Amino acid sequence: MWTHVQWEYRRQIRQNRSWVSLLVLAAVGVLAAVGYRQIDAQTALGSVLGLGLADGFFVPVVTLTVCNSILLPFFVVLVSAESISAERQRGTWTVLLAQGIRPWQVLVSKWVVCASYAGSATFVLVSASLAMGIMLYGWHRTLLPSGTMASTHDLAGFLAVMTVYTAIAQVTVASVALAIGSFCRNPVASVMLTMGGLIITVLMGDFPFLADVQKILLSGYFSRFVDVLSVPPNWTAMLQGVGVFGVYIILAWAFVAWRDPFYD
Amino acid sequence: MGTERMAIAVDVRHVSKSYGRNAVLRDVCLHVPAGSALGLVGPNGAGKSTLLRILLGVARPSLGNVWYNDRPLWPHPEEHLANVGGFVDTPWFYPQLTAQENMWMLADLTQKSRRRADEVLAFVHLQAVKHERVSGFSHGMRQRLALAIALMKNPALIILDEPQDGLDPARLNEMRHLIERVRRESGATLIMASHVMPDIEQLCDFIAVFDEGRIRYFGAPSQLGRGIISDEVFWEVSPVDSAIGCLAELGITARVTGSSCIVAPWDDQFDLGDVNRMLIKKDIVVRTVARRRAGLDVRLLTYLEDSHVDARSVGISAANSPE
């Protein structure tokens, strides 16, 4: 299995798309930090995120909040959804199957690589905006909206938790995209299908009468990482989110196993 | 090219394949004895590639199954493909990897040695470009790389889908020699779909003529169209009219094809030497005589046209494949 993963990594690394997308995400992180200065943060982002003007730590929080529903998933979907469909369209999938390689070995190796990309994309976005945020606004002990004073250590811990949470969310997006992509022969169609579904579910969050539906939608849990800033941190809400992500990953795999789309 | 090993006998038993409502293969039965070579011929869309996809474990049959040495291929094809090598459709590779890396990757994934991968690269004359990315390869180079991948496992069964597709005459010749050499040295069973009829005639012991998802003919290439299509004999004679009249007396209908050339269908009911002697006896100058066998392509086309007229009866003979 490790051999499959190694070769999958090697192919992914050789693709310009992987590096270009990470560079774009880094640029977004930097631009978010710069642009943050230009807005009336308190008004635009509310009391919690508006604190970014007082501390560089809040810049990645804002960046994640803005990017975690559409932009970050877009890149993750771009890489994941077409991972199998591009192979099928190109014919390399046929070459692999004709060698007697089990489709599940390929799928698992692709999942590992796509999950790694999702984690890397999140890390790059957070790192770039944090670095730029600290450069522009510094990083100090900060008074949280709850009235609690948070040390720089506390802030670093909070940010680590938020990054991991977002990474898990993006791994879930990658899993769903990979599952959908395994049914498509056209990479563009698989990306559009996955992104279309994601955008619709995000937009559904704006309709109050769909509040019940939101509880089962993936996008409804993307921003739960902000709960770490509550005093005390709302771990229950975050764990609930992680649980939902886990269910989605299992459902994605189960659906692929059930439909078995690998052979013509 | 590798050591000889026990070739695989292939049994295709009542295989049908449909995509939605489109039936691509209809109740196909075939037996390919171990070590023999079978050519699949027929028009585009006749079902040849689909059968090869099923044989290579890429497409699942809707009905029926394929047996390799009396073991069913489906539903777990990967368990039976260790000694099977081949490709279907236009072969494609990972463009961001070099030829050698593509080979090494497949060698690693199938637990074959990288040394073996390098050997087959040299065998198909790609040694010089093995460090180049496949994205820059010509079609002919890709075909050879595909053949290299097919041979990497030193297979006992080789399945090739139009290996000569898009090759220039020199490469066509090279590919034919490569395939010939592999068969000679490994003794593997070969199943090959192709539109290059001379290669099919030269390389294959049997052919299966596919049309509309069915096998219309199974047998030796030389026997295709026997009884339907005759040979032709060309004469360069003078005077032409007298020669045509003389042949007509024997019941041979000749036609003029040039100022001094005539041509007549020939089905061995007369001895050609006797006919020529008769022409000379009647003071006809015979400058040239040539007998030409209709090529496999002509016989195939005529056969298919004819089989459409009586498809049902021909279908019965297709089921009688050799043991």
Side-chain angles (χ1 to χ4, degrees):
Chain A
M1 194 64 236
W2 177 234
T3 314
H4 284 263
V5 176
Q6 274 181 314
W7 276 105
E8 193 60 40
Y9 269 124
R10 192 176 295 196
R11 290 205 301 267
Q12 193 69 43
I13 286 167
R14 292 277 183 88
Q15 293 197 355
N16 294 337
R17 181 192 60 191
S18 309
W19 297 107
V20 169
S21 60
L22 290 179
L23 279 174
V24 170
L25 282 170
V28 167
V30 169
L31 286 173
V34 174
Y36 199 49
R37 206 173 218 169
Q38 313 300 321
I39 59 172
D40 181 353
Q42 292 282 354
T43 311
L45 301 168
S47 58
V48 176
L49 302 177
L51 283 171
L53 279 177
D55 198 292
F57 157 76
F58 282 94
V59 174
V61 178
V62 173
T63 310
L64 281 179
T65 309
V66 173
C67 298
N68 75 348
S69 296
I70 300 293
L71 189 71
L72 193 52
F74 172 75
F75 285 108
V76 172
V77 166
L78 201 63
V79 169
S80 310
E82 65 123 65
S83 189
I84 288 182
S85 53
E87 294 233 25
R88 297 183 86 156
Q89 190 188 49
R90 201 166 45 204
T92 43
W93 183 256
T94 302
V95 173
L96 294 176
L97 290 193
Q99 294 298 314
I101 294 164
R102 291 166 200 272
W104 279 100
Q105 291 177 312
V106 183
L107 187 68
V108 171
S109 63
K110 285 191 178 298
W111 182 79
V112 171
V113 171
C114 290
S116 306
Y117 175 83
S120 307
T122 310
F123 180 76
V124 165
L125 183 68
V126 170
S127 304
S129 58
L130 179 67
M132 201 64 190
I134 290 172
M135 270 170 58
L136 293 175
Y137 312 112
W139 189 347
H140 327 281
R141 295 177 69 218
T142 304
L143 189 66
L144 296 178
S146 57
T148 314
M149 186 61 78
S151 68
T152 50
H153 279 96
D154 293 335
L155 294 175
F158 291 153
L159 188 57
V161 170
M162 287 190 274
T163 306
V164 169
Y165 183 91
T166 306
I168 295 171
Q170 297 311 316
V171 168
T172 312
V173 171
S175 307
V176 173
L178 197 60
I180 291 173
S182 65
F183 289 88
C184 295
R185 289 184 173 277
N186 186 329
V188 177
S190 64
V191 171
M192 287 176 72
L193 195 64
T194 316
M195 268 319 288
L198 194 64
I199 289 169
I200 289 169
T201 56
V202 169
L203 291 177
M204 282 167 76
D206 292 337
F207 300 106
F209 61 92
L210 292 173
D212 288 340
V213 181
Q214 275 291 305
K215 287 176 188 167
I216 58 164
L217 293 179
L218 188 60
S219 54
Y221 296 86
F222 280 160
S223 298
R224 285 273 174 103
F225 59 82
V226 181
D227 288 327
V228 79
L229 295 177
S230 314
V231 178
N234 190 351
W235 299 114
T236 311
M238 291 184 70
L239 283 175
Q240 196 183 4
V242 172
V244 169
F245 297 149
V247 168
Y248 264 88
I249 291 173
I250 291 167
L251 282 177
W253 282 92
F255 187 64
V256 173
W258 174 49
R259 298 298 298 174
D260 190 10
F262 303 120
Y263 301 105
D264 288 347
Chain B
M1 189 68 228
T3 53
E4 195 162 333
R5 61 170 68 188
M6 200 180 110
I8 292 176
V10 179
D11 261 311
V12 178
R13 297 182 191 168
H14 302 288
V15 165
S16 297
K17 176 69 182 173
S18 302
Y19 293 101
R21 288 183 179 177
N22 182 23
V24 184
L25 286 177
R26 302 157 197 256
D27 197 26
V28 169
C29 295
L30 273 178
H31 173 73
V32 188
S36 63
L38 169 69
L40 306 184
V41 296
N44 290 330
K48 305 183 297 292
S49 293
T50 304
L51 179 62
L52 295 186
R53 293 174 75 82
I54 291 171
L55 292 174
L56 273 173
V58 175
R60 189 186 280 120
S62 307
L63 286 171
N65 207 342
V66 174
W67 300 68
Y68 285 167
N69 283 345
D70 295 325
R71 293 170 66 199
L73 178 66
W74 291 91
H76 301 294
E78 61 278 353
E79 293 171 8
H80 307 279
L81 293 173
N83 296 327
V84 180
F87 60 85
V88 279
D89 305 328
T90 306
W92 203 254
F93 312 95
Y94 294 100
Q96 68 272 34
L97 302 182
T98 66
Q100 189 180 53
E101 285 172 329
N102 269 285
M103 292 293 291
W104 281 9
M105 182 193 73
L106 292 174
D108 289 353
L109 299 185
T110 53
Q111 279 110 44
K112 303 291 170 195
S113 75
R114 289 183 172 188
R115 199 170 144 193
R116 169 73 187 167
D118 287 340
E119 275 173 20
V120 285
L121 268 178
F123 178 76
V124 298
H125 312 307
L126 287 176
Q127 187 76 4
V129 291
K130 68 179 181 181
H131 296 303
E132 289 179 20
R133 285 195 180 192
V134 175
S135 53
F137 273 24
S138 68
H139 188 71
M141 289 158 85
R142 287 206 181 109
Q143 292 285 77
R144 278 186 283 157
L145 184 56
L147 185 63
I149 288 172
L151 300 178
M152 192 169 61
K153 290 190 275 187
N154 188 20
L157 169 63
I158 302 167
I159 296 169
L160 305 175
D161 189 11
E162 300 188 27
Q164 312 97 330
D165 179 42
L167 299 182
D168 62 47
R171 296 285 162 270
L172 207 62
N173 199 32
E174 187 184 19
M175 183 61 85
R176 181 170 53 243
H177 286 307
L178 282 172
I179 296 169
E180 227 170 7
R181 197 176 142 196
V182 169
R183 273 211 71 210
R184 195 174 56 243
E185 294 180 8
S186 72
T189 309
L190 171 71
I191 299 178
M192 178 173 90
S194 178
H195 292 300
V196 183
M197 295 302 141
D199 283 8
I200 289 282
E201 269 192 300
Q202 194 173 333
L203 294 168
C204 298
D205 307 315
F206 309 106
I207 58 167
V209 177
F210 275 75
D211 187 33
E212 294 176 348
R214 289 194 175 90
I215 296 177
R216 300 290 189 202
Y217 171 85
F218 188 104
S222 60
Q223 298 300 307
L224 178 68
R226 198 184 175 98
I228 302 171
I229 309 146
S230 52
D231 294 0
E232 289 179 320
V233 175
F234 290 83
W235 284 274
E236 191 184 356
V237 288
S238 176
V240 169
D241 291 343
S242 302
I244 288 178
C246 180
L247 292 171
E249 283 174 23
L250 294 170
I252 300 168
T253 311
R255 63 179 197 282
V256 181
T257 59
S259 60
S260 60
C261 292
I262 58 173
V263 59
W266 199 261
D267 53 13
D268 286 328
Q269 74 179 101
F270 297 104
D271 181 82
L272 189 54
D274 289 345
V275 173
N276 286 333
R277 269 191 290 278
M278 199 182 95
L279 289 171
I280 293 164
K281 206 180 277 179
K282 296 213 170 182
D283 292 332
I284 296 166
V285 180
V286 179
R287 294 193 187 87
T288 315
V289 183
R291 180 174 175 168
R292 192 180 75 172
R293 176 142 175 69
L296 185 59
D297 47 352
V298 174
R299 284 183 285 136
L300 174 66
L301 285 174
T302 314
Y303 184 84
L304 283 173
E305 280 169 16
D306 193 69
S307 68
H308 276 294
V309 176
D310 193 11
R312 193 176 296 171
S313 63
V314 179
I316 294 166
S317 70
N320 298 327
S321 51
E323 287 300 319

